[in-house]
Amino acid sequence: MSASPIVNDLVIRFANVNGTGSASANGLFAKAVFRMGIPVSPKNIFPSNIQGLPTWYEVRVSEKGYLGRREGLDIVVSVNPQSMPQDVRSVREEGYFLYDNTKPLDIRLQRNDIHYIGLPLTRICLAEYRDPRQRLLFKNMIYIGALAALLDIDFSVLKNLVQDQFQGKEKLIAPNIHALELGCQYALEHFDCPLGLRLEKRDLVGDRILMDGNAAVGLGAIYAGATVAAWYPITPSTSVVDSFDKYCKRLRIDAGSGARKYAIIQAEDELAAMGMVIGASWNGARAFTATSGPGVSLMSEFLGLAYFAEVPAVLVDVQRAGPSTGMPTRTQQSDILAAAYASHGDTRHVLLIPATPKECFDMMAEAFDLAERLQTPVILLSDLDLGMNDHVCDPLSWPDDRVYDRGKVLDAEQLDELERYGRYLDVDEDGICYRTIPGAHPTRGAFFTRGSSKNEFAIYTESDEDYAKNMDRLVRKWNTAKSMVPEPIFYPRSEPCRIGVIFFGTSTASTLEAIERLAEESIRVEGLRLRAVPFSEDVERFIEEHEEVFLVEQNRDAQMRTLLVNELGVNPQRLHAILHYDGMPITARFIQQTIQSQLASADTPAMDQVAEGGR
Amino acid sequence: MTYLRPAFAHPDLPRNELGYTRKDYESALSTLCAGCGHDSISAAVVQACHETSIEPHKVAKVSGIGCSSKTPTYFLGNSHGFNSVHGRMPSVATGAAAANRELTYIGVSGDGDSASIGIGQFAHAVRRNVNMLYLVENNGCYGLTKGQDSATAEVGSRSKAGSVNQLAPIDLVSMALELGAGFVARSFSGDKAQLVPLIKAAIAHRGFALIDVISPCVTFNNNPGSTKSYDYVREHMNTTGHFDFVPMHQEITAQYPPGSSKEVTLHDGSSVHLHKLDDTIDPLDRRSALHALQEYKASGKILTGLIFMDEDSQDMHQVMNTCNKPLNQLTQSDLCPGNRVLQDINDSLR
Ligand SMILES: Cc1ncc(C[n+]2csc(CCOP(=O)(O)OP(=O)(O)O)c2C)c(N)n1
Ligand code: SF4
Ligand SMILES: [Mg+2]
């Protein structure tokens, strides 16, 4: 270990057993790195199980601020005998394997090309603690303590974190710090600390925060003034409503009466959840639901109703690996088409695609304005990686002068001034008509909302002319939406580029990293991040202006490419899809290598040549 | 097509407390088959709403899909209505009721809509005790898709096409009772004298109120073999006793011998008078109601009237402890915590 140390650039993976309290200890590690001012990106890799199966927590530390997942494990902390063989194998050459050496290591698990660091976790716990539960829980804190010595983590940072974490449960602070010290002490006494791989304090995170996307979505709903949440539990969306619930309890209880200024309804299924959202929105409340792929399938019929009857609705789809039950605890961007065209008949839905928790917050708030302005469902397409993992992102903010845009709603006075009210009259010629809320006026403005064909005055009709006219107006509305939704973000380079790469959502960090790595090899690539459907003209222009256009997606079938081709009439051969769909978050290396190999092949790939990342 | 009624209202038409005439509660002319039981129910709703003096625009009508679910177009034209999707009216009504606790919700459904495709949502609306009148216009068949048997058809009931139903029926009234509904009634579209006061009482009741109305489909199910035909129901009907609904501002008439009557005060101050004819039924006791239903069924009779009522049940909003002000009327200043709070939250995430 004479080579100069590697500082602030590592990937460490914790291998634990689900349900043993490892999550909070591992979270402590990530947070400590963050508090040392170093960019960090933790990822949960967990089973669809409550207790007993292997679970991993992978933390990437990157001085350069690369926050996507990276292959190659520098350190593996093994606390799960069950997954040990696999965990030993996963360490990169010259990497470190930390394990519980209370029992000697199985000789079959010996490798010559890695470093073994044995910590007698079980023995220390047996000596220190009587209670079996404590033995289990403190084991986690002991290995974190050892890591503090091995990686040179500022111990006071850890101490402060423990104090913060156990606020209100002060009795737990001292024993947890003691456990950290035990580990730290053992490592200092038995190893040459710190290792060649270590952390150093920096000032690289500034005022940024560490938050998961689902928490930010729930908070966004609070700020947007949502009052009704209807939902049915499903991983990985559940914590959206948990977050909304948590913040409601803090921020939405009437101080005097204790009454709630919100309603959270756990529905009997996703179908009902969507029905409740539509009923509440129709009745003038801001309402939302959160689900994942299977729920979106069930909600389809209702989404078509809301589209055609023009009722606002906000739906959060935290995508997971499909089809069917698929891999419920793995990530994917594979509901794009299901969401964009949910329901039978000619339907199209507005999609918002956040890439960070901050954007989850902003776009959730935006979703309510858009749904009410456009009087249609708005679907926030998040995914498991964004929703359930912590991400470093800019702090949240809310301009206090921002006013909710409730769209075109007529009140009693406005109704009195009207000669004749027509619910579906396109007065402003933007495809968006004026709605009224039940109870607004004793004799004016009432109409019948329905999913069947109607004329401009909301009267049932089977007239071909009226039907077509209405359908055409909905296209007009769709075109209006193009200028309302968040614009794509362009990542230009100072020199002209013939290569462009389009990406969205959780492929962002890795794609941006890949762009930089390619630049280091003199391959200049410009980027465009999609943030919404319908697409704006900027997307068309970007495709036109680049000779080679790559499109990064985390699904098998290049769903975004299909959508771009369908919506913009792009020649499919113009878009080279880079597809990653094994359920793990996409990496920069995968993107970089795919682009390089495609560029290397004499001709650029034809439309059916798509790079696939599934294992 | 929808026909609009002439707007002309005779100056002498009787006005209710609020000064509205019956016309103010009417709507477009029905396009259902002439003689359809559903139309009589619409008329009963109009009469009940007029008589109880609810402001028409303070009612919201919600329905699923079916001939029955079309009917909200034909009553209360000054009220907003929502003809949603097949079997899913309960969820739309639940969401609407969550958003505004002050309106009166009238849900209209069919036996196909509620006992088949929507049975799950029906059950859960009962369980949640959504404050609404839930009308099932029960004809034992799917009218709109041309007469297939529905899940409420009795064993042995013969459809117009001649097929005989062999599957046991689902009785929504028993089901609602089992699920804990606070107001359960059954009536017959041809018996307005019973149906109108039931609708009034159901509207006054706080919480979920089911009225299962047997409503013959003249086109597909009014044949001799059907147990939901006019003739069959008239012959086999048995009522729970007389019953009147007394709005809070109306005096109680003493037409009935006091010894056999029971008075129940509803939360809005109005009251229901139950005049017992039959000792086997106590509409204030769930078990006795269930028992009576089964007894009558065993003897081939249909029990109608107010079968069960519990004025103390906690409705959805009471259970959720939502604020009195309707959620849809809370303003941005009620709801948005502002940037300062957000900055504190940011701090907790560093
Ligand atoms: C999802 C779906 N499946 C099927 C239908 C077709 N459909 C329309 S009405 C109806 C049955 C209606 O029966 P019921 O609720 O008893 O109403 P009725 O017409 O008898 O009053 C069916 C099956 C539909 N509209 N939607
Ligand atoms: S088909 Fe039957 S239920 Fe439908 S309108 Fe005609 S009579 Fe009424
Ligand atoms: Mg029917």
Side-chain angles (χ1 to χ4, degrees):
Chain A
M1 270 189 267
S2 52
S4 61
I6 300 174
V7 178
N8 296 342
D9 183 13
L10 61 90
V11 177
I12 179 169
R13 181 186 263 198
F14 299 89
N16 301 91
V17 181
N18 210 20
T20 55
S22 56
S24 64
N26 298 342
L28 198 73
F29 174 84
K31 191 87 183 243
V33 177
F34 177 72
R35 286 223 180 149
M36 286 172 73
I38 315 164
V40 65
S41 159
K43 307 247 178 256
N44 286 292
I45 303 154
F46 60 103
S48 181
N49 158 269
I50 302 303
Q51 200 177 46
L53 287 186
T55 175
W56 294 273
Y57 186 73
E58 200 174 289
V59 182
R60 179 175 185 188
V61 178
S62 168
E63 171 117 16
K64 287 187 174 167
Y66 293 149
L67 297 173
R69 191 169 72 89
R70 193 200 82 184
E71 299 94 339
L73 302 176
D74 301 297
I75 306 171
V76 171
V77 179
S78 159
V79 209
N80 181 4
Q82 197 189 339
S83 64
M84 218 166 177
Q86 158 183 12
D87 294 327
V88 169
R89 273 197 307 273
S90 69
V91 184
R92 72 154 165 88
E93 257 177 54
E94 293 303 312
Y96 299 86
F97 186 72
L98 270 70
Y99 68 104
D100 186 346
N101 68 353
T102 306
K103 274 198 246 159
L105 190 68
D106 184 331
I107 121 164
R108 286 166 299 182
L109 300 179
Q110 293 283 359
R111 274 175 62 180
N112 299 324
D113 57 347
I114 61 173
H115 309 281
Y116 288 84
I117 297 179
L119 303 167
L121 297 173
T122 307
R123 202 176 69 220
I124 300 176
C125 284
L126 279 173
E128 268 313 302
Y129 308 106
R130 285 258 186 86
D131 173 6
R133 202 175 143 65
Q134 285 193 336
R135 283 177 183 161
L136 196 66
L137 289 177
F138 286 124
K139 199 190 257 188
N140 304 319
M141 293 305 268
I142 294 172
Y143 67 70
I144 298 292
L147 282 173
L150 293 165
L151 299 178
D152 209 10
I153 298 173
D154 185 342
F155 202 81
S156 67
V157 167
L158 279 176
K159 264 177 146 172
N160 289 339
L161 275 171
V162 170
Q163 271 155 5
D164 291 355
Q165 190 172 328
F166 295 105
Q167 242 178 45
K169 301 177 206 156
E170 271 71 16
K171 269 209 273 191
L172 295 174
I173 295 174
N176 274 286
I177 291 177
H178 178 63
L180 285 173
E181 279 165 346
L182 285 173
C184 187
Q185 207 56 41
Y186 185 90
L188 286 173
E189 281 164 17
H190 293 82
F191 306 102
D192 197 3
C193 292
L195 304 175
L197 205 60
R198 63 183 70 155
L199 304 177
E200 266 175 31
K201 264 196 163 170
R202 289 286 185 273
D203 189 11
L204 296 170
V205 301
D207 65 349
R208 286 188 286 172
I209 57 172
L210 188 63
M211 185 180 205
D212 69 72
N214 284 354
V217 169
L219 194 56
I222 296 267
Y223 273 75
T227 50
V228 177
W231 70 299
Y232 189 77
I234 183 168
T235 305
S237 72
T238 298
S239 51
V240 168
V241 179
D242 288 347
S243 154
F244 183 69
D245 189 18
K246 178 180 99 179
Y247 287 115
C248 276
K249 286 190 176 120
R250 208 192 287 175
L251 302 166
R252 287 276 190 81
I253 306 273
D254 183 75
S257 63
R260 298 176 175 186
K261 292 191 267 186
Y262 65 97
I264 297 176
I265 307 174
Q266 187 182 320
E268 55 271 32
D269 54 34
E270 288 86 348
L271 234 142
M274 197 63 211
M276 290 171 193
V277 168
I278 290 171
S281 302
W282 170 74
N283 216 358
R286 286 192 154 183
F288 75 99
T289 184
T291 189
S292 190
V296 174
S297 293
L298 284 183
M299 289 172 183
S300 280
E301 188 189 20
F302 258 134
L303 284 167
L305 171 74
Y307 171 79
F308 196 49
E310 299 180 66
V311 181
V314 173
L315 158 62
V316 182
D317 175 10
V318 187
Q319 300 166 94
R320 64 189 210 184
S324 190
T325 307
M327 284 205 289
T329 58
R330 296 291 191 271
T331 198
Q332 237 172 30
Q333 299 175 312
S334 54
D335 295 345
I336 297 164
L337 291 173
Y341 299 128
S343 210
H344 55 277
D346 291 323
T347 50
R348 293 172 189 188
H349 304 295
V350 174
L351 311 181
L352 302 181
I353 313 172
T356 62
K358 158 122 173 102
E359 256 183 2
C360 285
F361 175 85
D362 290 342
M363 286 189 181
M364 188 60 175
E366 186 68 28
F368 287 94
D369 278 4
L370 280 172
E372 290 194 318
R373 290 173 72 193
L374 291 163
Q375 303 171 11
T376 199
V378 171
I379 303 173
L380 186 81
L381 268 189
S382 175
D383 64 22
L384 182 141
D385 181 14
L386 178 56
M388 292 188 69
N389 291 321
D390 280 338
H391 298 261
V392 174
C393 69
D394 285 338
L396 310 180
S397 66
W398 180 268
D400 281 324
D401 57 0
R402 174 173 174 170
V403 179
Y404 298 160
D405 190 339
R406 309 292 312 257
K408 299 182 187 178
V409 182
L410 297 177
D411 61 19
E413 261 172 56
Q414 290 166 310
L415 281 167
D416 275 328
E417 284 161 17
L418 275 187
E419 204 161 298
R420 186 178 177 200
Y421 168 64
R423 166 66 181 99
Y424 300 104
L425 266 177
D426 190 4
V427 183
D428 304 326
E429 289 176 4
D430 56 1
I432 307 171
C433 310
Y434 287 80
R435 43 175 208 138
T436 57
I437 306 295
H441 192 289
T443 53
R444 307 186 124 221
F447 68 96
F448 211 72
T449 304
R450 47 163 65 86
S452 43
S453 185
K454 58 257 161 188
N455 67 15
E456 290 170 329
F457 296 93
I459 307 292
Y460 178 81
T461 179
E462 290 174 13
S463 141
D464 44 2
E465 210 178 302
D466 281 342
Y467 170 81
K469 197 172 165 190
N470 187 48
M471 291 299 280
D472 292 342
R473 180 180 56 76
L474 289 170
V475 173
R476 203 148 61 235
K477 182 160 93 168
W478 181 254
N479 290 331
T480 302
K482 290 180 184 170
S483 62
M484 291 185 179
V485 298
E487 296 187 338
I489 306 236
F490 181 41
Y491 298 84
R493 298 202 77 82
S494 45
E495 52 302 77
C497 292
R498 52 177 284 272
I499 307 166
V501 58
I502 298 177
F503 53 95
F504 54 93
T506 48
S507 303
T508 299
S510 290
T511 309
L512 293 177
E513 182 181 346
I515 289 176
E516 298 222 355
R517 286 165 172 240
L518 286 164
E520 283 162 19
E521 306 203 13
S522 306
I523 301 174
R524 294 190 302 267
V525 180
E526 285 183 319
L528 187 78
R529 176 157 75 88
L530 305 175
R531 295 199 301 160
V533 177
F535 304 113
S536 73
E537 280 170 13
D538 296 344
V539 181
E540 281 179 275
R541 203 171 316 120
F542 183 87
I543 297 171
E544 270 164 30
E545 286 174 357
H546 293 86
E547 238 169 87
E548 306 291 347
V549 183
F550 292 89
L551 175 57
V552 182
E553 306 192 42
Q554 298 185 56
N555 61 65
R556 186 193 65 183
D557 292 347
Q559 296 190 21
M560 189 60 92
R561 184 173 69 170
T562 302
L563 197 60
L564 283 166
V565 167
N566 204 35
E567 291 292 314
L568 300 179
V570 183
N571 176 355
Q573 314 233 10
R574 297 278 291 110
L575 299 170
H576 315 311
I578 299 175
L579 304 172
H580 191 274
Y581 51 88
D582 64 4
M584 293 294 281
I586 195 169
T587 64
R589 185 159 72 186
F590 175 80
I591 297 167
Q592 178 197 358
Q593 286 178 347
T594 313
I595 290 180
Q596 274 175 309
S597 69
Q598 292 206 10
L599 289 173
S601 56
D603 297 310
T604 38
M607 67 171 282
D608 53 350
Q609 271 183 282
V610 290
E612 291 164 2
R615 278 177 285 204
Chain B
M1 263 207 71
T2 301
Y3 301 87
L4 293 171
R5 281 177 209 272
F8 171 76
H10 198 278
D12 297 337
L13 279 180
R15 293 183 180 274
N16 65 12
E17 294 260 304
L18 301 169
Y20 291 109
T21 68
R22 197 190 144 99
K23 274 233 135 15
D24 296 311
Y25 297 86
E26 287 175 349
S27 185
L29 275 182
S30 169
T31 58
L32 302 185
C33 307
C36 174
H38 299 350
D39 277 337
S40 316
I41 303 173
S42 299
V45 172
V46 168
Q47 188 183 334
C49 289
H50 179 234
E51 287 177 12
T52 30
S53 298
I54 343 175
E55 289 184 278
H57 68 299
K58 293 290 166 65
V59 179
K61 309 167 288 183
V62 194
S63 64
I65 295 290
C67 295
S68 37
S69 291
K70 283 183 177 188
T71 62
T73 317
Y74 316 134
F75 60 81
L76 302 186
N78 284 323
S79 311
H80 272 73
F82 196 159
N83 192 187
S84 67
V85 285
H86 195 22
R88 318 301 176 191
M89 174 275 279
S91 62
V92 175
T94 303
N100 186 351
R101 61 189 301 168
E102 282 179 353
L103 300 186
T104 294
Y105 296 92
I106 301 182
V108 177
S109 180
D111 42 322
D113 208 56
S114 278
S116 285
I117 190 168
I119 196 163
Q121 295 212 344
F122 167 77
H124 287 274
V126 175
R127 180 171 173 261
R128 264 181 211 108
N129 206 5
V130 180
N131 187 9
M132 69 183 295
L133 159 59
Y134 194 112
L135 279 169
V136 177
E137 307 192 343
N138 184 355
N139 52 16
C141 73
Y142 290 3
L144 195 58
T145 49
K146 303 206 175 211
Q148 300 83 357
D149 277 337
S150 85
T152 65
E154 304 289 334
V155 176
S157 183
R158 190 180 289 272
S159 75
K160 192 158 191 174
S163 65
V164 177
N165 173 48
Q166 314 207 11
L167 303 177
I170 289 171
D171 179 10
L172 294 172
V173 164
S174 313
M175 202 176 143
L177 271 173
E178 293 275 7
L179 289 165
F183 185 110
V184 183
R186 168 135 52 214
S187 192
F188 174 45
S189 62
D191 185 359
K192 211 180 260 182
Q194 183 191 53
L195 183 54
V196 171
L198 277 177
I199 294 175
K200 291 199 253 180
I203 288 174
H205 172 79
R206 179 171 56 204
F208 187 88
L210 171 71
I211 311 180
D212 178 37
V213 190
I214 295 165
S215 175
C217 168
V218 285
T219 306
F220 297 112
N221 234 1
N222 200 32
N223 48 306
S226 162
T227 54
K228 300 270 190 295
S229 67
Y230 280 112
D231 289 343
Y232 183 93
V233 178
R234 282 212 180 91
E235 274 164 29
H236 294 78
M237 212 165 89
N238 218 326
T239 53
T240 58
H242 287 297
F243 135 94
D244 21 72
F245 171 75
V246 188
M248 59 187 282
H249 39 263
Q250 227 175 60
E251 220 186 308
I252 298 159
T253 51
Q255 289 171 359
Y256 298 93
S260 65
S261 90
K262 224 174 218 178
E263 182 185 339
V264 183
T265 307
L266 304 180
H267 80 279
D268 66 354
S270 54
S271 55
V272 164
H273 275 239
L274 304 158
H275 307 278
K276 273 209 283 183
L277 288 183
D278 183 337
D279 277 342
T280 57
I281 310 162
D282 178 1
L284 302 180
D285 177 61
R286 196 179 294 276
R287 268 177 307 179
S288 144
L290 270 168
H291 178 72
L293 269 178
Q294 275 156 11
E295 290 282 294
Y296 277 89
K297 197 178 164 192
S299 62
K301 286 185 178 157
I302 305 162
L303 185 62
T304 66
L306 179 59
I307 291 164
F308 176 72
M309 189 163 107
D310 169 12
E311 254 317 278
D312 297 326
S313 69
Q314 297 270 303
D315 88 327
M316 179 175 76
H317 279 288
Q318 290 172 298
V319 172
M320 293 195 298
N321 191 26
T322 28
C323 54
N324 287 332
K325 191 168 176 186
L327 295 177
N328 71 350
Q329 284 158 36
L330 295 171
T331 61
Q332 183 167 352
S333 62
D334 292 318
L335 299 172
C336 183
N339 194 42
R340 202 184 47 76
V341 172
L342 197 55
Q343 295 318 307
D344 290 344
I345 293 173
N346 278 334
D347 280 342
S348 71
L349 299 167
R350 290 195 173 108

